[in-house]
Amino acid sequence: MSLTFASPTITPTIRSFTFSSRRTNNIVMSAIQPNSASLCPILTKFQNDCATPTPYLRKVADAIVDEMQAGLAVEGEGELDMILTYVDALPSGNEEGLFYALDLGGTNFRVRSVQLGGKEERVIATESEQISIPKELMIGTSEELFGFIATKLASFVAKEKPGRFQLEQGRKREIGFTFSFPVKQTSIDSGTLMKWTKGFHVSGMEGKNVVACLNEAMEVHGLNMRVSALVNDGVGTLAGARYWDEDVMVGVILGTGTNACYVEQKHKIPKLQSKSSSGTTVINTEWGGYSKILPRTVFDQEMDEKSLNPGEHLYEKMISGMYLGEIVRRVLLQMCKTSDLFGQFAPAKLSKPFVLRTEHLCKMQEDNTDDLQNVGSVLYEFLEVETNLNARRRVVEVCDTVVKRGGRLAGAGIVAVLEKIEKDTKRMSSGKRTVVAMDGALYEKYPQYRSYMQDALVELLGHKFASDVVIKHTKDVSGIGAAVLAATNSIY
Ligand code: BGC
């Protein structure tokens, strides 16, 4: 269990990138020899098919804005769900009391307690625990998954140190539940699962109220807690970052999966059937579902067909961390079959889906040794193949092609969201600072991906707006965001 205290406030880890301070691209790419691809027709074709020149990215960004508008107009229209989150009030800083966050959305889930101290003290104390989810639970039954979560939650609460954390008398413990899958929200504290993504496929849950599933499991395990806010991780990131910075308008996740959530004007949401159309609300775009204009290759198509959610989340499958390694693996396998990439035979391991992961690609792309030694070690360790320099160079080229396309497409998505905001608010043209809060291991740990994403942002936004946009890396603020939203929506 990690324990953090801070006085007077605990601030999240934040790294900012502003366009006015645009870096010179100092990322080492020396390992890539642009001409070696020409010797390999598959690679040349793949590179051409993956190309995302600026005019093409512009079309992607415009198409995403169109889909956002379609999704806001009529429920179920357009490729983006544009989910109403019922988060109308973002944190003000005045929130006080003890609240919890439970975060489920990847291979780990996290529980957190947060003692909020109001404007002056903000986060007085926070404690968290991360638990990895056994693989079989990701594709098992809802009782098994939520039963496991409730057990861990119960032991977390049992370890709580009195004094540090104080629950007001007569109150139940309230939770902000971050559930990072597409959910059709019916209120701030309920919503039904639309579909699973990111390799989850728990049976019988689609169409079910996920909060009810958690409540039932908590009851079975004798936990006297209630969910006060059900939030997506993008919403949690936006809310958590907003707690410290009122210019945050967008929360983006670039991790195993991807998503963007942003602050929308209610009168720009035709499908919102409420009498009051003034003010703002947070929209969960579920942009992973975008698919119209995308540079899809045969490798993307084949990977999609074999996935647990074929035909769905195609943008996510091109830009998020779960899939980049798998695309590379498929290209390498084809290169082995047609151009003797690793000698006469393809290594047996290369036929194993998902054997290459994003962190392996990153390690290979960061190799700046003359003979690409690190690339050699990764290939030896994970594919059990000995390689010469030429093969290593080609592997790096494949990685770079996939990562460049992913990063640039992600950049186009962010521009689309910023332009949608700009259209309705004219924030940026009036010189108002606009912050995108960013979280996710892909953004955090993959410098080349980040750099390609930033290039696309600058190319598309132009210098007119770029100087007012800040990309803030807000690591792990989504838990704080969820706890603060539980406070905002407390029943007490
Ligand atoms: C889910 C989103 C989530 C994103 C990032 C996607 O697969 O559909 O709801 O926000 O992953 O975790």
Side-chain angles (χ1 to χ4, degrees):
M1 213 180 248
S2 61
L3 188 61
T4 327
F5 296 103
S7 177
T9 56
I10 292 171
T11 47
T13 315
I14 294 178
R15 263 194 283 151
S16 292
F17 165 74
T18 49
F19 295 92
S20 43
S21 64
R22 197 182 166 209
R23 85 234 172 276
T24 50
N25 193 341
N26 55 359
I27 290 163
V28 181
M29 304 290 267
S30 61
I32 297 170
Q33 307 279 313
N35 288 332
S36 65
S38 57
L39 303 170
C40 178
I42 298 254
L43 180 51
T44 310
K45 177 164 183 351
F46 183 64
Q47 287 173 324
N48 289 337
D49 291 350
C50 286
T52 51
T54 317
Y56 182 88
L57 281 188
R58 167 49 49 209
K59 282 191 192 149
V60 173
D62 291 347
I64 295 178
V65 174
D66 289 347
E67 294 305 320
M68 290 172 75
Q69 261 154 351
L72 289 175
V74 182
E75 196 66 59
E77 280 290 303
E79 295 188 330
L80 272 57
D81 293 320
M82 303 301 282
I83 296 167
L84 304 171
T85 65
Y86 296 85
V87 175
D88 295 353
L90 279 159
S92 62
N94 291 322
E95 299 76 8
E96 284 184 41
L98 173 59
F99 294 91
Y100 295 81
L102 183 64
D103 186 341
L104 174 68
T107 45
N108 296 310
F109 83 92
R110 187 177 294 194
V111 277
R112 183 182 280 284
S113 46
V114 187
Q115 187 78 46
L116 298 169
K119 263 251 151 35
E120 294 305 313
E121 294 183 288
R122 301 279 167 141
V123 177
I124 300 171
T126 180
E127 200 164 317
S128 76
E129 192 170 319
Q130 183 164 300
I131 298 125
S132 77
I133 302 178
K135 258 221 142 59
E136 62 276 13
L137 291 190
M138 292 164 64
I139 48 171
T141 66
S142 72
E143 290 75 17
E144 285 164 349
L145 178 65
F146 284 95
F148 177 78
I149 291 171
T151 322
K152 300 293 175 189
L153 184 56
S155 72
F156 177 80
V157 173
K159 282 187 258 176
E160 197 168 273
K161 298 185 188 66
R164 304 275 185 224
F165 297 97
Q166 281 158 2
L167 187 70
E168 266 181 56
Q169 268 208 334
R171 284 189 170 206
K172 268 191 176 189
R173 292 186 157 83
E174 291 183 281
I175 310 174
F177 180 24
T178 307
F179 185 77
S180 307
F181 299 96
V183 162
K184 182 172 173 9
Q185 292 223 199
T186 38
S187 68
I188 184 64
D189 60 1
S190 65
T192 53
L193 176 68
M194 298 160 76
K195 56 195 163 205
W196 287 111
T197 56
K198 298 177 284 194
F200 270 75
H201 216 267
V202 176
S203 59
M205 268 203 69
E206 282 170 10
K208 269 200 186 170
N209 180 356
V210 295
V211 174
C213 293
L214 178 61
N215 281 338
E216 272 164 38
M218 290 196 299
E219 221 178 294
V220 170
H221 288 82
L223 264 172
N224 192 21
M225 295 177 92
R226 75 173 297 276
V227 174
S228 295
L230 170 66
V231 297
N232 180 271
D233 50 353
V235 177
T237 299
L238 169 52
R242 182 71 165 245
Y243 186 62
W244 279 276
D245 182 345
E246 61 181 21
D247 290 334
V248 175
M249 295 294 285
V250 187
V252 170
I253 307 290
L254 286 168
T256 309
T258 183
N259 201 2
C261 301
Y262 73 103
V263 179
E264 180 58 283
Q265 309 296 309
K266 282 191 180 170
H267 71 275
K268 293 288 174 186
I269 313 176
K271 73 178 177 185
L272 185 63
Q273 282 155 4
S274 99
K275 288 182 203 101
S276 129
S277 61
S278 62
T280 58
T281 190
V282 174
I283 294 290
N284 167 10
T285 67
E286 283 296 337
W287 75 5
Y290 168 75
S291 77
K292 264 192 190 136
I293 303 175
L294 282 176
R296 281 186 94 207
T297 66
V298 61
F299 304 103
D300 298 291
Q301 281 162 29
E302 287 168 5
M303 178 182 72
D304 174 46
E305 279 159 23
K306 292 272 184 281
S307 70
L308 287 172
N309 55 346
E312 280 170 7
H313 268 47
L314 300 185
Y315 181 57
E316 171 159 290
K317 286 172 181 156
M318 282 189 180
I319 73 170
S320 83
M322 175 157 174
Y323 303 98
L324 302 182
E326 176 60 4
I327 303 169
V328 169
R329 180 192 73 83
R330 288 174 175 274
V331 179
L332 296 184
L333 192 59
Q334 190 59 25
M335 284 166 70
C336 279
K337 288 180 182 159
T338 54
S339 65
D340 292 353
L341 174 66
F342 299 132
Q344 233 181 323
F345 302 105
K349 278 266 174 93
L350 195 53
S351 298
K352 193 171 169 230
F354 293 93
V355 67
L356 281 181
R357 295 197 306 270
T358 304
E359 66 248 41
H360 305 142
L361 310 194
C362 179
K363 198 167 170 198
M364 293 197 280
Q365 272 202 275
E366 293 221 277
D367 186 355
N368 55 5
T369 61
D370 287 344
D371 56 351
L372 296 180
Q373 245 177 53
N374 303 335
V375 176
S377 330
V378 170
L379 296 173
Y380 186 73
E381 190 177 342
F382 295 96
L383 301 182
E384 292 173 1
V385 65
E386 304 258 15
T387 46
N388 60 28
L389 184 55
N390 201 28
R392 293 174 191 179
R393 280 193 180 132
R394 285 186 183 174
V395 171
V396 176
E397 280 186 76
V398 176
C399 297
D400 188 58
T401 307
V402 171
V403 168
K404 181 173 185 177
R405 183 185 68 167
R408 287 177 65 78
L409 287 172
I414 295 170
V415 168
V417 177
L418 287 170
E419 288 184 348
K420 173 71 179 77
I421 293 173
E422 177 61 13
K423 218 169 168 174
D424 304 329
T425 62
K426 303 279 174 281
R427 273 182 78 91
M428 291 185 280
S429 39
S430 58
K432 195 139 180 29
R433 181 174 167 269
T434 301
V435 179
V436 177
M438 175 78 73
D439 202 0
L442 186 57
Y443 180 83
E444 183 188 348
K445 296 185 180 158
Y446 208 141
Q448 285 83 359
Y449 183 96
R450 210 163 51 226
S451 163
Y452 284 132
M453 190 203 86
Q454 288 163 354
D455 287 344
L457 280 164
V458 175
E459 284 165 34
L460 294 181
L461 277 179
H463 288 283
K464 190 165 155 236
F465 292 150
S467 53
D468 298 314
V469 172
V470 180
I471 307 287
K472 235 183 198 182
H473 179 211
T474 49
K475 185 174 161 60
D476 293 341
V477 299
S478 94
I480 304 274
V484 179
L485 286 173
T488 317
N489 293 285
S490 166
I491 49 164
Y492 301 104

